[in-house]
PDB file of all heavy atoms in Angstrom:
ATOM      1  N   ALA A   3      17.483 -13.995  -6.829  1.00 96.00           N
ATOM      2  CA  ALA A   3      16.450 -12.985  -6.674  1.00 96.00           C
ATOM      3  C   ALA A   3      17.115 -11.669  -6.385  1.00 96.00           C
ATOM      4  O   ALA A   3      17.897 -11.543  -5.437  1.00 96.00           O
ATOM      5  CB  ALA A   3      15.508 -13.379  -5.518  1.00 96.00           C
ATOM      6  N   PRO A   4      16.887 -10.636  -7.208  1.00 96.00           N
ATOM      7  CA  PRO A   4      17.578  -9.401  -7.032  1.00 96.00           C
ATOM      8  C   PRO A   4      17.254  -8.701  -5.721  1.00 96.00           C
ATOM      9  O   PRO A   4      16.142  -8.850  -5.191  1.00 96.00           O
ATOM     10  CB  PRO A   4      17.110  -8.576  -8.225  1.00 96.00           C
ATOM     11  CG  PRO A   4      15.783  -9.179  -8.616  1.00 96.00           C
ATOM     12  CD  PRO A   4      15.885 -10.645  -8.298  1.00 96.00           C
ATOM     13  N   LEU A   5      18.165  -7.917  -5.223  1.00 97.00           N
ATOM     14  CA  LEU A   5      17.961  -7.106  -4.045  1.00 97.00           C
ATOM     15  C   LEU A   5      17.496  -5.712  -4.486  1.00 97.00           C
ATOM     16  O   LEU A   5      18.223  -5.017  -5.192  1.00 97.00           O
ATOM     17  CB  LEU A   5      19.222  -7.012  -3.209  1.00 97.00           C
ATOM     18  CG  LEU A   5      19.128  -6.179  -1.903  1.00 97.00           C
ATOM     19  CD1 LEU A   5      18.191  -6.848  -0.916  1.00 97.00           C
ATOM     20  CD2 LEU A   5      20.520  -5.999  -1.262  1.00 97.00           C
ATOM     21  N   HIS A   6      16.316  -5.299  -4.070  1.00 98.00           N
ATOM     22  CA  HIS A   6      15.744  -4.005  -4.438  1.00 98.00           C
ATOM     23  C   HIS A   6      15.970  -3.072  -3.254  1.00 98.00           C
ATOM     24  O   HIS A   6      16.070  -3.469  -2.105  1.00 98.00           O
ATOM     25  CB  HIS A   6      14.275  -4.138  -4.773  1.00 98.00           C
ATOM     26  CG  HIS A   6      13.973  -5.110  -5.870  1.00 98.00           C
ATOM     27  ND1 HIS A   6      14.230  -4.861  -7.192  1.00 98.00           N
ATOM     28  CD2 HIS A   6      13.469  -6.370  -5.822  1.00 98.00           C
ATOM     29  CE1 HIS A   6      13.885  -5.890  -7.910  1.00 98.00           C
ATOM     30  NE2 HIS A   6      13.412  -6.825  -7.127  1.00 98.00           N
ATOM     31  N   TYR A   7      15.923  -1.782  -3.519  1.00 98.00           N
ATOM     32  CA  TYR A   7      16.172  -0.795  -2.495  1.00 98.00           C
ATOM     33  C   TYR A   7      14.959   0.113  -2.322  1.00 98.00           C
ATOM     34  O   TYR A   7      14.186   0.332  -3.245  1.00 98.00           O
ATOM     35  CB  TYR A   7      17.419   0.042  -2.841  1.00 98.00           C
ATOM     36  CG  TYR A   7      18.654  -0.796  -2.908  1.00 98.00           C
ATOM     37  CD1 TYR A   7      19.069  -1.313  -4.135  1.00 98.00           C
ATOM     38  CD2 TYR A   7      19.398  -1.085  -1.787  1.00 98.00           C
ATOM     39  CE1 TYR A   7      20.233  -2.104  -4.186  1.00 98.00           C
ATOM     40  CE2 TYR A   7      20.531  -1.895  -1.831  1.00 98.00           C
ATOM     41  CZ  TYR A   7      20.932  -2.385  -3.019  1.00 98.00           C
ATOM     42  OH  TYR A   7      22.039  -3.167  -3.094  1.00 98.00           O
ATOM     43  N   TYR A   8      14.779   0.578  -1.094  1.00 98.00           N
ATOM     44  CA  TYR A   8      13.661   1.469  -0.796  1.00 98.00           C
ATOM     45  C   TYR A   8      14.116   2.516   0.222  1.00 98.00           C
ATOM     46  O   TYR A   8      14.929   2.217   1.098  1.00 98.00           O
ATOM     47  CB  TYR A   8      12.438   0.702  -0.267  1.00 98.00           C
ATOM     48  CG  TYR A   8      12.658  -0.051   1.040  1.00 98.00           C
ATOM     49  CD1 TYR A   8      12.279   0.509   2.282  1.00 98.00           C
ATOM     50  CD2 TYR A   8      13.298  -1.293   1.068  1.00 98.00           C
ATOM     51  CE1 TYR A   8      12.460  -0.186   3.471  1.00 98.00           C
ATOM     52  CE2 TYR A   8      13.491  -1.978   2.249  1.00 98.00           C
ATOM     53  CZ  TYR A   8      13.064  -1.441   3.449  1.00 98.00           C
ATOM     54  OH  TYR A   8      13.253  -2.116   4.656  1.00 98.00           O
ATOM     55  N   PRO A   9      13.639   3.706   0.091  1.00 97.00           N
ATOM     56  CA  PRO A   9      14.007   4.746   1.080  1.00 97.00           C
ATOM     57  C   PRO A   9      13.352   4.538   2.424  1.00 97.00           C
ATOM     58  O   PRO A   9      12.186   4.109   2.494  1.00 97.00           O
ATOM     59  CB  PRO A   9      13.518   6.056   0.410  1.00 97.00           C
ATOM     60  CG  PRO A   9      12.359   5.623  -0.479  1.00 97.00           C
ATOM     61  CD  PRO A   9      12.747   4.275  -0.942  1.00 97.00           C
ATOM     62  N   ALA A  10      14.084   4.770   3.467  1.00 97.00           N
ATOM     63  CA  ALA A  10      13.492   4.666   4.823  1.00 97.00           C
ATOM     64  C   ALA A  10      12.297   5.586   4.893  1.00 97.00           C
ATOM     65  O   ALA A  10      12.325   6.747   4.369  1.00 97.00           O
ATOM     66  CB  ALA A  10      14.548   5.020   5.876  1.00 97.00           C
ATOM     67  N   GLY A  11      11.256   5.166   5.523  1.00 97.00           N
ATOM     68  CA  GLY A  11      10.041   5.958   5.632  1.00 97.00           C
ATOM     69  C   GLY A  11       9.038   5.709   4.522  1.00 97.00           C
ATOM     70  O   GLY A  11       8.013   6.412   4.433  1.00 97.00           O
ATOM     71  N   SER A  12       9.310   4.709   3.684  1.00 97.00           N
ATOM     72  CA  SER A  12       8.387   4.346   2.619  1.00 97.00           C
ATOM     73  C   SER A  12       7.666   3.048   2.974  1.00 97.00           C
ATOM     74  O   SER A  12       7.832   2.526   4.084  1.00 97.00           O
ATOM     75  CB  SER A  12       9.128   4.227   1.291  1.00 97.00           C
ATOM     76  OG  SER A  12       9.961   3.075   1.312  1.00 97.00           O
ATOM     77  N   TYR A  13       6.922   2.492   2.005  1.00 97.00           N
ATOM     78  CA  TYR A  13       6.258   1.219   2.228  1.00 97.00           C
ATOM     79  C   TYR A  13       6.975   0.070   1.577  1.00 97.00           C
ATOM     80  O   TYR A  13       6.402  -1.008   1.354  1.00 97.00           O
ATOM     81  CB  TYR A  13       4.803   1.299   1.670  1.00 97.00           C
ATOM     82  CG  TYR A  13       3.911   2.183   2.518  1.00 97.00           C
ATOM     83  CD1 TYR A  13       3.593   3.472   2.091  1.00 97.00           C
ATOM     84  CD2 TYR A  13       3.390   1.722   3.751  1.00 97.00           C
ATOM     85  CE1 TYR A  13       2.767   4.271   2.852  1.00 97.00           C
ATOM     86  CE2 TYR A  13       2.567   2.542   4.479  1.00 97.00           C
ATOM     87  CZ  TYR A  13       2.255   3.817   4.060  1.00 97.00           C
ATOM     88  OH  TYR A  13       1.427   4.608   4.820  1.00 97.00           O
ATOM     89  N   GLY A  14       8.284   0.275   1.290  1.00 97.00           N
ATOM     90  CA  GLY A  14       9.055  -0.800   0.673  1.00 97.00           C
ATOM     91  C   GLY A  14       9.311  -0.512  -0.775  1.00 97.00           C
ATOM     92  O   GLY A  14       8.891   0.493  -1.350  1.00 97.00           O
ATOM     93  N   PRO A  15      10.044  -1.417  -1.453  1.00 97.00           N
ATOM     94  CA  PRO A  15      10.363  -1.209  -2.839  1.00 97.00           C
ATOM     95  C   PRO A  15       9.156  -1.218  -3.736  1.00 97.00           C
ATOM     96  O   PRO A  15       8.137  -1.882  -3.454  1.00 97.00           O
ATOM     97  CB  PRO A  15      11.315  -2.380  -3.171  1.00 97.00           C
ATOM     98  CG  PRO A  15      11.123  -3.370  -2.089  1.00 97.00           C
ATOM     99  CD  PRO A  15      10.602  -2.671  -0.892  1.00 97.00           C
ATOM    100  N   ALA A  16       9.246  -0.515  -4.888  1.00 97.00           N
ATOM    101  CA  ALA A  16       8.122  -0.451  -5.822  1.00 97.00           C
ATOM    102  C   ALA A  16       7.792  -1.816  -6.367  1.00 97.00           C
ATOM    103  O   ALA A  16       6.614  -2.100  -6.706  1.00 97.00           O
ATOM    104  CB  ALA A  16       8.507   0.472  -6.977  1.00 97.00           C
ATOM    105  N   GLU A  17       8.727  -2.727  -6.432  1.00 97.00           N
ATOM    106  CA  GLU A  17       8.506  -4.092  -6.926  1.00 97.00           C
ATOM    107  C   GLU A  17       7.454  -4.804  -6.067  1.00 97.00           C
ATOM    108  O   GLU A  17       6.795  -5.735  -6.541  1.00 97.00           O
ATOM    109  CB  GLU A  17       9.814  -4.880  -7.015  1.00 97.00           C
ATOM    110  CG  GLU A  17      10.755  -4.415  -8.111  1.00 97.00           C
ATOM    111  CD  GLU A  17      11.517  -3.128  -7.799  1.00 97.00           C
ATOM    112  OE1 GLU A  17      11.392  -2.694  -6.601  1.00 97.00           O
ATOM    113  OE2 GLU A  17      12.199  -2.615  -8.653  1.00 97.00           O
ATOM    114  N   SER A  18       7.372  -4.442  -4.787  1.00 98.00           N
ATOM    115  CA  SER A  18       6.362  -5.054  -3.890  1.00 98.00           C
ATOM    116  C   SER A  18       4.972  -4.681  -4.376  1.00 98.00           C
ATOM    117  O   SER A  18       4.056  -5.535  -4.348  1.00 98.00           O
ATOM    118  CB  SER A  18       6.576  -4.543  -2.486  1.00 98.00           C
ATOM    119  OG  SER A  18       5.500  -4.906  -1.637  1.00 98.00           O
ATOM    120  N   ASP A  19       4.777  -3.452  -4.834  1.00 97.00           N
ATOM    121  CA  ASP A  19       3.493  -3.059  -5.364  1.00 97.00           C
ATOM    122  C   ASP A  19       3.168  -3.827  -6.656  1.00 97.00           C
ATOM    123  O   ASP A  19       2.033  -4.220  -6.915  1.00 97.00           O
ATOM    124  CB  ASP A  19       3.443  -1.560  -5.629  1.00 97.00           C
ATOM    125  CG  ASP A  19       3.650  -0.776  -4.339  1.00 97.00           C
ATOM    126  OD1 ASP A  19       3.079  -1.146  -3.322  1.00 97.00           O
ATOM    127  OD2 ASP A  19       4.377   0.251  -4.402  1.00 97.00           O
ATOM    128  N   GLU A  20       4.201  -4.011  -7.483  1.00 97.00           N
ATOM    129  CA  GLU A  20       4.023  -4.701  -8.767  1.00 97.00           C
ATOM    130  C   GLU A  20       3.611  -6.143  -8.547  1.00 97.00           C
ATOM    131  O   GLU A  20       2.925  -6.748  -9.373  1.00 97.00           O
ATOM    132  CB  GLU A  20       5.297  -4.585  -9.602  1.00 97.00           C
ATOM    133  CG  GLU A  20       5.638  -3.167  -9.984  1.00 97.00           C
ATOM    134  CD  GLU A  20       7.046  -3.026 -10.570  1.00 97.00           C
ATOM    135  OE1 GLU A  20       7.711  -4.115 -10.741  1.00 97.00           O
ATOM    136  OE2 GLU A  20       7.493  -1.891 -10.804  1.00 97.00           O
ATOM    137  N   LEU A  21       4.059  -6.747  -7.441  1.00 97.00           N
ATOM    138  CA  LEU A  21       3.750  -8.128  -7.148  1.00 97.00           C
ATOM    139  C   LEU A  21       2.234  -8.334  -7.091  1.00 97.00           C
ATOM    140  O   LEU A  21       1.690  -9.327  -7.587  1.00 97.00           O
ATOM    141  CB  LEU A  21       4.413  -8.543  -5.818  1.00 97.00           C
ATOM    142  CG  LEU A  21       4.181  -9.987  -5.330  1.00 97.00           C
ATOM    143  CD1 LEU A  21       4.916 -10.967  -6.264  1.00 97.00           C
ATOM    144  CD2 LEU A  21       4.692 -10.117  -3.902  1.00 97.00           C
ATOM    145  N   LEU A  22       1.530  -7.357  -6.479  1.00 97.00           N
ATOM    146  CA  LEU A  22       0.078  -7.448  -6.394  1.00 97.00           C
ATOM    147  C   LEU A  22      -0.576  -6.933  -7.683  1.00 97.00           C
ATOM    148  O   LEU A  22      -1.619  -7.435  -8.061  1.00 97.00           O
ATOM    149  CB  LEU A  22      -0.435  -6.651  -5.193  1.00 97.00           C
ATOM    150  CG  LEU A  22      -0.416  -7.329  -3.815  1.00 97.00           C
ATOM    151  CD1 LEU A  22       1.014  -7.553  -3.345  1.00 97.00           C
ATOM    152  CD2 LEU A  22      -1.233  -6.578  -2.804  1.00 97.00           C
ATOM    153  N   ALA A  23      -0.019  -5.924  -8.250  1.00 97.00           N
ATOM    154  CA  ALA A  23      -0.610  -5.317  -9.441  1.00 97.00           C
ATOM    155  C   ALA A  23      -0.749  -6.328 -10.597  1.00 97.00           C
ATOM    156  O   ALA A  23      -1.697  -6.245 -11.389  1.00 97.00           O
ATOM    157  CB  ALA A  23       0.204  -4.100  -9.910  1.00 97.00           C
ATOM    158  N   ARG A  24       0.163  -7.286 -10.641  1.00 96.00           N
ATOM    159  CA  ARG A  24       0.109  -8.328 -11.677  1.00 96.00           C
ATOM    160  C   ARG A  24      -1.202  -9.120 -11.602  1.00 96.00           C
ATOM    161  O   ARG A  24      -1.704  -9.660 -12.567  1.00 96.00           O
ATOM    162  CB  ARG A  24       1.281  -9.284 -11.586  1.00 96.00           C
ATOM    163  CG  ARG A  24       2.616  -8.642 -11.951  1.00 96.00           C
ATOM    164  CD  ARG A  24       3.668  -9.738 -12.286  1.00 96.00           C
ATOM    165  NE  ARG A  24       3.971 -10.568 -11.149  1.00 96.00           N
ATOM    166  CZ  ARG A  24       5.039 -10.436 -10.336  1.00 96.00           C
ATOM    167  NH1 ARG A  24       5.838  -9.435 -10.548  1.00 96.00           N
ATOM    168  NH2 ARG A  24       5.256 -11.272  -9.381  1.00 96.00           N
ATOM    169  N   ASP A  25      -1.782  -9.220 -10.385  1.00 96.00           N
ATOM    170  CA  ASP A  25      -3.013  -9.932 -10.162  1.00 96.00           C
ATOM    171  C   ASP A  25      -4.227  -9.019 -10.075  1.00 96.00           C
ATOM    172  O   ASP A  25      -5.329  -9.486  -9.785  1.00 96.00           O
ATOM    173  CB  ASP A  25      -2.915 -10.778  -8.856  1.00 96.00           C
ATOM    174  CG  ASP A  25      -1.826 -11.810  -8.919  1.00 96.00           C
ATOM    175  OD1 ASP A  25      -1.527 -12.314 -10.042  1.00 96.00           O
ATOM    176  OD2 ASP A  25      -1.243 -12.100  -7.850  1.00 96.00           O
ATOM    177  N   GLY A  26      -4.000  -7.722 -10.302  1.00 95.00           N
ATOM    178  CA  GLY A  26      -5.090  -6.773 -10.253  1.00 95.00           C
ATOM    179  C   GLY A  26      -5.417  -6.272  -8.877  1.00 95.00           C
ATOM    180  O   GLY A  26      -6.515  -5.747  -8.635  1.00 95.00           O
ATOM    181  N   PHE A  27      -4.488  -6.391  -7.923  1.00 95.00           N
ATOM    182  CA  PHE A  27      -4.716  -5.958  -6.559  1.00 95.00           C
ATOM    183  C   PHE A  27      -3.700  -4.899  -6.132  1.00 95.00           C
ATOM    184  O   PHE A  27      -2.770  -4.573  -6.892  1.00 95.00           O
ATOM    185  CB  PHE A  27      -4.630  -7.143  -5.569  1.00 95.00           C
ATOM    186  CG  PHE A  27      -5.559  -8.248  -5.892  1.00 95.00           C
ATOM    187  CD1 PHE A  27      -5.085  -9.542  -6.178  1.00 95.00           C
ATOM    188  CD2 PHE A  27      -6.932  -8.060  -5.904  1.00 95.00           C
ATOM    189  CE1 PHE A  27      -5.973 -10.597  -6.462  1.00 95.00           C
ATOM    190  CE2 PHE A  27      -7.806  -9.085  -6.191  1.00 95.00           C
ATOM    191  CZ  PHE A  27      -7.331 -10.360  -6.491  1.00 95.00           C
ATOM    192  N   HIS A  28      -3.872  -4.355  -4.954  1.00 96.00           N
ATOM    193  CA  HIS A  28      -2.896  -3.409  -4.395  1.00 96.00           C
ATOM    194  C   HIS A  28      -2.907  -3.569  -2.866  1.00 96.00           C
ATOM    195  O   HIS A  28      -3.861  -4.103  -2.275  1.00 96.00           O
ATOM    196  CB  HIS A  28      -3.246  -1.957  -4.791  1.00 96.00           C
ATOM    197  CG  HIS A  28      -4.558  -1.492  -4.259  1.00 96.00           C
ATOM    198  ND1 HIS A  28      -4.699  -0.976  -2.977  1.00 96.00           N
ATOM    199  CD2 HIS A  28      -5.815  -1.464  -4.846  1.00 96.00           C
ATOM    200  CE1 HIS A  28      -5.959  -0.653  -2.776  1.00 96.00           C
ATOM    201  NE2 HIS A  28      -6.679  -0.935  -3.865  1.00 96.00           N
ATOM    202  N   TRP A  29      -1.802  -3.115  -2.278  1.00 97.00           N
ATOM    203  CA  TRP A  29      -1.729  -3.181  -0.819  1.00 97.00           C
ATOM    204  C   TRP A  29      -2.717  -2.155  -0.221  1.00 97.00           C
ATOM    205  O   TRP A  29      -2.766  -0.991  -0.660  1.00 97.00           O
ATOM    206  CB  TRP A  29      -0.311  -2.783  -0.317  1.00 97.00           C
ATOM    207  CG  TRP A  29       0.738  -3.795  -0.655  1.00 97.00           C
ATOM    208  CD1 TRP A  29       1.733  -3.660  -1.590  1.00 97.00           C
ATOM    209  CD2 TRP A  29       0.939  -5.084  -0.073  1.00 97.00           C
ATOM    210  NE1 TRP A  29       2.525  -4.777  -1.602  1.00 97.00           N
ATOM    211  CE2 TRP A  29       2.084  -5.680  -0.657  1.00 97.00           C
ATOM    212  CE3 TRP A  29       0.291  -5.789   0.954  1.00 97.00           C
ATOM    213  CZ2 TRP A  29       2.536  -6.908  -0.333  1.00 97.00           C
ATOM    214  CZ3 TRP A  29       0.747  -7.050   1.303  1.00 97.00           C
ATOM    215  CH2 TRP A  29       1.889  -7.599   0.650  1.00 97.00           C
ATOM    216  N   TRP A  30      -3.459  -2.564   0.780  1.00 94.00           N
ATOM    217  CA  TRP A  30      -4.395  -1.671   1.416  1.00 94.00           C
ATOM    218  C   TRP A  30      -3.756  -0.862   2.514  1.00 94.00           C
ATOM    219  O   TRP A  30      -2.797  -1.322   3.168  1.00 94.00           O
ATOM    220  CB  TRP A  30      -5.570  -2.460   1.995  1.00 94.00           C
ATOM    221  CG  TRP A  30      -6.516  -2.963   0.912  1.00 94.00           C
ATOM    222  CD1 TRP A  30      -6.547  -4.212   0.342  1.00 94.00           C
ATOM    223  CD2 TRP A  30      -7.534  -2.198   0.275  1.00 94.00           C
ATOM    224  NE1 TRP A  30      -7.498  -4.247  -0.600  1.00 94.00           N
ATOM    225  CE2 TRP A  30      -8.163  -3.040  -0.687  1.00 94.00           C
ATOM    226  CE3 TRP A  30      -7.980  -0.871   0.435  1.00 94.00           C
ATOM    227  CZ2 TRP A  30      -9.183  -2.624  -1.495  1.00 94.00           C
ATOM    228  CZ3 TRP A  30      -9.029  -0.465  -0.431  1.00 94.00           C
ATOM    229  CH2 TRP A  30      -9.615  -1.316  -1.338  1.00 94.00           C
ATOM    230  N   PHE A  31      -4.243   0.348   2.703  1.00 90.00           N
ATOM    231  CA  PHE A  31      -3.837   1.232   3.813  1.00 90.00           C
ATOM    232  C   PHE A  31      -2.418   1.682   3.777  1.00 90.00           C
ATOM    233  O   PHE A  31      -1.829   1.948   4.801  1.00 90.00           O
ATOM    234  CB  PHE A  31      -4.163   0.591   5.170  1.00 90.00           C
ATOM    235  CG  PHE A  31      -5.579   0.132   5.283  1.00 90.00           C
ATOM    236  CD1 PHE A  31      -5.890  -1.215   5.356  1.00 90.00           C
ATOM    237  CD2 PHE A  31      -6.645   0.997   5.288  1.00 90.00           C
ATOM    238  CE1 PHE A  31      -7.195  -1.678   5.442  1.00 90.00           C
ATOM    239  CE2 PHE A  31      -7.926   0.575   5.410  1.00 90.00           C
ATOM    240  CZ  PHE A  31      -8.230  -0.744   5.472  1.00 90.00           C
ATOM    241  N   ASP A  32      -1.857   1.784   2.554  1.00 89.00           N
ATOM    242  CA  ASP A  32      -0.478   2.269   2.482  1.00 89.00           C
ATOM    243  C   ASP A  32      -0.443   3.804   2.588  1.00 89.00           C
ATOM    244  O   ASP A  32       0.637   4.370   2.724  1.00 89.00           O
ATOM    245  CB  ASP A  32       0.167   1.853   1.145  1.00 89.00           C
ATOM    246  CG  ASP A  32       0.864   0.518   1.289  1.00 89.00           C
ATOM    247  OD1 ASP A  32       0.738  -0.111   2.339  1.00 89.00           O
ATOM    248  OD2 ASP A  32       1.559   0.080   0.343  1.00 89.00           O
ATOM    249  N   SER A  33      -1.562   4.432   2.504  1.00 71.00           N
ATOM    250  CA  SER A  33      -1.675   5.856   2.800  1.00 71.00           C
ATOM    251  C   SER A  33      -2.726   5.988   3.878  1.00 71.00           C
ATOM    252  O   SER A  33      -3.797   5.420   3.742  1.00 71.00           O
ATOM    253  CB  SER A  33      -2.066   6.662   1.565  1.00 71.00           C
ATOM    254  OG  SER A  33      -1.014   6.601   0.600  1.00 71.00           O
ATOM    255  N   LYS A  34      -2.454   6.732   4.896  1.00 49.00           N
ATOM    256  CA  LYS A  34      -3.416   6.866   5.981  1.00 49.00           C
ATOM    257  C   LYS A  34      -4.686   7.500   5.448  1.00 49.00           C
ATOM    258  O   LYS A  34      -4.633   8.547   4.770  1.00 49.00           O
ATOM    259  CB  LYS A  34      -2.862   7.709   7.093  1.00 49.00           C
ATOM    260  CG  LYS A  34      -1.748   7.002   7.892  1.00 49.00           C
ATOM    261  CD  LYS A  34      -1.340   7.787   9.100  1.00 49.00           C
ATOM    262  CE  LYS A  34      -0.282   6.989   9.891  1.00 49.00           C
ATOM    263  NZ  LYS A  34       0.152   7.768  11.093  1.00 49.00           N
ATOM    264  N   PRO A  35      -5.825   6.948   5.686  1.00 45.00           N
ATOM    265  CA  PRO A  35      -7.074   7.474   5.146  1.00 45.00           C
ATOM    266  C   PRO A  35      -7.380   8.821   5.737  1.00 45.00           C
ATOM    267  O   PRO A  35      -7.112   9.118   6.908  1.00 45.00           O
ATOM    268  CB  PRO A  35      -8.120   6.433   5.579  1.00 45.00           C
ATOM    269  CG  PRO A  35      -7.525   5.775   6.762  1.00 45.00           C
ATOM    270  CD  PRO A  35      -6.031   5.746   6.525  1.00 45.00           C
ATOM    271  N   GLU A  36      -7.946   9.698   4.926  1.00 41.00           N
ATOM    272  CA  GLU A  36      -8.371  11.027   5.403  1.00 41.00           C
ATOM    273  C   GLU A  36      -9.563  10.841   6.388  1.00 41.00           C
ATOM    274  O   GLU A  36     -10.409   9.988   6.174  1.00 41.00           O
ATOM    275  CB  GLU A  36      -8.813  11.850   4.205  1.00 41.00           C
ATOM    276  CG  GLU A  36      -7.694  12.175   3.227  1.00 41.00           C
ATOM    277  CD  GLU A  36      -6.650  13.055   3.839  1.00 41.00           C
ATOM    278  OE1 GLU A  36      -6.992  13.887   4.727  1.00 41.00           O
ATOM    279  OE2 GLU A  36      -5.490  12.957   3.435  1.00 41.00           O
ATOM    280  N   GLN A  37      -9.528  11.585   7.404  1.00 34.00           N
ATOM    281  CA  GLN A  37     -10.609  11.539   8.403  1.00 34.00           C
ATOM    282  C   GLN A  37     -11.790  12.404   7.890  1.00 34.00           C
ATOM    283  O   GLN A  37     -12.046  13.490   8.413  1.00 34.00           O
ATOM    284  CB  GLN A  37     -10.132  11.987   9.756  1.00 34.00           C
ATOM    285  CG  GLN A  37      -9.013  11.144  10.335  1.00 34.00           C
ATOM    286  CD  GLN A  37      -9.459   9.694  10.488  1.00 34.00           C
ATOM    287  OE1 GLN A  37     -10.564   9.448  10.988  1.00 34.00           O
ATOM    288  NE2 GLN A  37      -8.642   8.773  10.058  1.00 34.00           N
ATOM    289  N   ALA A  38     -12.446  11.938   6.841  1.00 34.00           N
ATOM    290  CA  ALA A  38     -13.526  12.709   6.232  1.00 34.00           C
ATOM    291  C   ALA A  38     -14.718  12.799   7.181  1.00 34.00           C
ATOM    292  O   ALA A  38     -15.076  11.883   7.838  1.00 34.00           O
ATOM    293  CB  ALA A  38     -13.926  12.082   4.905  1.00 34.00           C
ATOM    294  N   ALA A  39     -15.345  13.999   7.207  1.00 32.00           N
ATOM    295  CA  ALA A  39     -16.438  14.240   8.115  1.00 32.00           C
ATOM    296  C   ALA A  39     -17.617  13.352   7.789  1.00 32.00           C
ATOM    297  O   ALA A  39     -18.390  12.976   8.678  1.00 32.00           O
ATOM    298  CB  ALA A  39     -16.852  15.703   8.044  1.00 32.00           C
ATOM    299  N   GLU A  40     -17.762  13.004   6.525  1.00 30.00           N
ATOM    300  CA  GLU A  40     -18.932  12.234   6.120  1.00 30.00           C
ATOM    301  C   GLU A  40     -18.756  10.737   6.344  1.00 30.00           C
ATOM    302  O   GLU A  40     -19.646   9.927   6.134  1.00 30.00           O
ATOM    303  CB  GLU A  40     -19.294  12.479   4.642  1.00 30.00           C
ATOM    304  CG  GLU A  40     -18.251  11.976   3.661  1.00 30.00           C
ATOM    305  CD  GLU A  40     -17.189  13.020   3.407  1.00 30.00           C
ATOM    306  OE1 GLU A  40     -17.132  14.009   4.155  1.00 30.00           O
ATOM    307  OE2 GLU A  40     -16.414  12.847   2.442  1.00 30.00           O
ATOM    308  N   GLU A  41     -17.568  10.334   6.790  1.00 30.00           N
ATOM    309  CA  GLU A  41     -17.313   8.869   6.996  1.00 30.00           C
ATOM    310  C   GLU A  41     -18.212   8.346   8.090  1.00 30.00           C
ATOM    311  O   GLU A  41     -18.310   8.940   9.174  1.00 30.00           O
ATOM    312  CB  GLU A  41     -15.841   8.638   7.365  1.00 30.00           C
ATOM    313  CG  GLU A  41     -15.548   7.162   7.546  1.00 30.00           C
ATOM    314  CD  GLU A  41     -14.120   6.963   8.018  1.00 30.00           C
ATOM    315  OE1 GLU A  41     -13.601   7.769   8.762  1.00 30.00           O
ATOM    316  OE2 GLU A  41     -13.518   5.956   7.563  1.00 30.00           O
ATOM    317  N   LYS A  42     -18.854   7.271   7.849  1.00 33.00           N
ATOM    318  CA  LYS A  42     -19.742   6.641   8.850  1.00 33.00           C
ATOM    319  C   LYS A  42     -18.975   5.566   9.626  1.00 33.00           C
ATOM    320  O   LYS A  42     -18.592   4.571   9.010  1.00 33.00           O
ATOM    321  CB  LYS A  42     -20.968   6.037   8.152  1.00 33.00           C
ATOM    322  CG  LYS A  42     -21.923   7.079   7.528  1.00 33.00           C
ATOM    323  CD  LYS A  42     -23.035   6.375   6.840  1.00 33.00           C
ATOM    324  CE  LYS A  42     -24.137   7.326   6.444  1.00 33.00           C
ATOM    325  NZ  LYS A  42     -23.672   8.456   5.697  1.00 33.00           N
ATOM    326  N   GLU A  43     -18.772   5.766  10.846  1.00 38.00           N
ATOM    327  CA  GLU A  43     -18.038   4.778  11.654  1.00 38.00           C
ATOM    328  C   GLU A  43     -18.783   4.466  12.908  1.00 38.00           C
ATOM    329  O   GLU A  43     -19.140   5.378  13.635  1.00 38.00           O
ATOM    330  CB  GLU A  43     -16.618   5.274  11.963  1.00 38.00           C
ATOM    331  CG  GLU A  43     -15.821   4.244  12.735  1.00 38.00           C
ATOM    332  CD  GLU A  43     -14.354   4.640  12.858  1.00 38.00           C
ATOM    333  OE1 GLU A  43     -13.941   5.473  12.046  1.00 38.00           O
ATOM    334  OE2 GLU A  43     -13.698   4.119  13.732  1.00 38.00           O
ATOM    335  N   PHE A  44     -19.090   3.198  13.069  1.00 27.00           N
ATOM    336  CA  PHE A  44     -19.773   2.783  14.282  1.00 27.00           C
ATOM    337  C   PHE A  44     -18.797   1.944  15.095  1.00 27.00           C
ATOM    338  O   PHE A  44     -18.404   0.869  14.670  1.00 27.00           O
ATOM    339  CB  PHE A  44     -21.008   1.956  13.909  1.00 27.00           C
ATOM    340  CG  PHE A  44     -21.977   2.685  13.040  1.00 27.00           C
ATOM    341  CD1 PHE A  44     -21.882   2.549  11.668  1.00 27.00           C
ATOM    342  CD2 PHE A  44     -22.955   3.500  13.583  1.00 27.00           C
ATOM    343  CE1 PHE A  44     -22.781   3.186  10.843  1.00 27.00           C
ATOM    344  CE2 PHE A  44     -23.825   4.153  12.753  1.00 27.00           C
ATOM    345  CZ  PHE A  44     -23.751   4.022  11.387  1.00 27.00           C
TER     346      PHE A  44
END
């Protein structure tokens, strides 16, 4: 299994994203959500 590299401060190697993309999914919350004023949070 090849060793992939990722820069410190990232969410890991790009191949990690591809692992989910093959099944039509993606990692959730890899970018902090914008605190939009219209967001409804209870």
Side-chain angles (χ1 to χ4, degrees):
L5 180 66
H6 304 285
Y7 297 94
Y8 62 99
S12 69
Y13 289 103
E17 289 77 8
S18 169
D19 299 319
E20 295 169 6
L21 181 67
L22 276 69
R24 291 199 297 262
D25 298 329
F27 303 120
H28 63 84
W29 292 107
W30 286 97
F31 307 112
D32 271 8
S33 294
K34 289 187 177 180
E36 297 293 330
Q37 299 300 315
E40 66 273 13
E41 181 184 36
K42 292 178 169 52
E43 182 170 340
F44 302 93

